[in-house]
Amino acid sequence: MLEKSKGLWVEICVTTTPEAGEMVGELLLETGCQGVVYHDPRLYETLQAEPAELRPTRGTESGPYRVAGYLAFTADWEEKLRSLESRIEELRAFLPIGSGQITLRRIKEEDWATAWKEYYQPERVGRFLITPSWLSPTPALDEITIRLDPGMAFGTGTHPTTQLCLELLPRAAQPGALVYDIGTGSGILAIAAAKLGAKVIAVDRDPVAAAVAAENCVLNQVTVSVRTGDLLNDLEEPADLVIANILAEVVIELIPQAIPRLKPGGALLASGIIARKAGQVQAALTAARFKIIHSLQKEDWLAYLAVRDGD
């Protein structure tokens, strides 16, 4: 174990898979890590074709997919680490997590304060250019910029589930439409919908995520009502679109709730669906009389845009 020392952080790096990366990151944040970095070696080849301002300065070295979190040294940091190890193993029942190997490294506080920013670069997804606030890339013609600072919430635009939603969103979030973004995380999809002209209500059961989402909405100068709540509970007005970028099991739970909370012809944009559970989600949609009108897949993840077939 690492020797305790004042003014130091411990970098907890988990070797995992792209499919499990976002959930591993969530576990790191719940452990108390102040920020998470995703090391995806597959990005290097893709980003070399981008303009210089979109190329990463570092963080795309070869090797396995890894997720790193940064934990302050406290009296109970080792206990937090043991809890993290147990929760990562429990995740195997739901997602392929790979080796799950954990490595530790000491980071000086003054280095941690700025070094993590080098890993967070602008990224183009569909019509959107996702960029951290401290960079100013030039958007292409008709491209919509979303300024997003990483925090203790999910959705930086790098995970396939979020990217699939961003690609499908312009088909469903029309100007003036009422959109519910359930499990909003960082607020990225709520912000995207608002920039497309929709009226948006964003919900997350985690008050920390809701606070981060609200801050990101202010950063993007969009008006979004951000609330702490559980799925569609307490949302009464029928919406034109419900976004649920969560997990397959939660999407299945949400489908019956969505029926009375959608206008006639309203749509459900569901993502976070790993391929091996896609059949279960499709069956739940069919049973609830939803018709899938668009579907996208990236790696082992799928997203569906579905409309209610009849009253």
Side-chain angles (χ1 to χ4, degrees):
M1 287 296 177
L2 300 177
E3 179 184 355
K4 297 182 181 66
S5 179
K6 187 177 180 181
L8 293 178
W9 296 72
V10 57
E11 179 188 69
I12 304 173
C13 191
V14 183
T15 299
T16 184
T17 65
E19 294 81 5
E22 192 161 349
M23 288 303 299
V24 170
E26 183 171 0
L27 294 180
L28 284 163
L29 290 174
E30 291 179 355
T31 298
C33 291
Q34 301 296 303
V36 170
V37 172
Y38 296 86
H39 301 265
D40 189 346
R42 303 165 306 166
L43 292 177
Y44 182 77
E45 294 294 334
T46 301
L47 291 176
Q48 293 315 296
E50 292 283 1
E53 64 186 356
L54 292 182
R55 294 176 192 165
T57 56
R58 57 177 292 190
T60 53
E61 65 275 10
S62 62
Y65 189 99
R66 293 169 292 139
V67 184
Y70 297 86
L71 182 69
F73 276 106
T74 58
D76 61 346
W77 81 269
E78 291 174 304
E79 180 181 343
K80 291 179 179 179
L81 179 63
R82 288 192 293 271
S83 174
L84 174 67
E85 291 171 335
S86 297
R87 297 188 69 186
I88 287 175
E89 286 305 309
E90 291 172 359
L91 194 59
R92 288 188 188 277
F94 304 97
L95 292 170
I97 68 169
S99 72
Q101 180 183 4
I102 295 177
T103 57
L104 307 176
R105 183 167 66 100
R106 291 191 301 176
I107 302 289
K108 291 183 179 179
E109 186 163 339
E110 57 269 26
D111 294 336
W112 151 243
T114 56
W116 62 273
K117 291 184 177 181
E118 299 179 17
Y119 293 93
Y120 190 27
Q121 300 295 318
E123 184 162 1
R124 287 189 164 103
V125 184
R127 289 181 57 190
F128 301 97
L129 174 61
I130 317 299
T131 181
S133 64
W134 57 88
L135 297 177
S136 299
T138 302
L141 186 65
D142 296 330
E143 200 166 45
I144 299 171
T145 300
I146 297 177
R147 310 189 73 83
L148 196 72
D149 285 349
M152 294 181 67
F154 281 95
T156 60
T158 61
H159 195 272
T161 61
T162 306
Q163 293 180 349
L164 293 172
C165 284
L166 289 171
E167 291 183 23
L168 287 172
L169 195 56
R171 299 174 182 265
Q174 303 299 320
L178 175 59
V179 175
Y180 293 150
D181 180 24
I182 306 303
T184 192
S186 68
I188 183 172
L189 298 178
I191 293 165
K195 291 206 169 193
L196 289 169
K199 174 187 175 183
V200 185
I201 297 176
V203 180
D204 203 292
R205 64 179 60 181
D206 181 359
V208 174
V212 170
E215 291 172 1
N216 282 324
C217 289
V218 172
L219 180 63
N220 284 273
Q221 300 180 327
V222 295
T223 300
V224 173
S225 175
V226 183
R227 307 177 183 180
T228 301
D230 187 15
L231 300 182
L232 285 163
N233 294 336
D234 303 321
L235 296 175
E236 300 298 335
E237 184 180 356
D240 298 280
L241 173 66
V242 172
I243 304 170
N245 180 25
I246 316 177
L247 288 173
E249 293 84 356
V250 185
V251 169
I252 291 170
E253 178 185 350
L254 179 139
I255 288 171
Q257 287 189 26
I259 296 173
R261 290 172 175 84
L262 281 174
K263 296 178 182 178
L268 172 64
L269 174 53
S271 189
I273 303 164
I274 198 163
R276 60 189 173 88
K277 296 188 178 179
Q280 299 174 36
V281 176
Q282 292 172 8
L285 288 169
T286 299
R289 295 169 61 188
F290 279 93
K291 179 181 179 181
I292 297 173
I293 57 172
H294 294 290
S295 65
L296 289 178
Q297 181 168 357
K298 188 169 186 178
E299 298 165 10
D300 288 333
W301 296 97
L302 293 98
Y304 298 131
L305 179 60
V307 295
R308 190 87 196 293
D309 187 12
D311 296 329

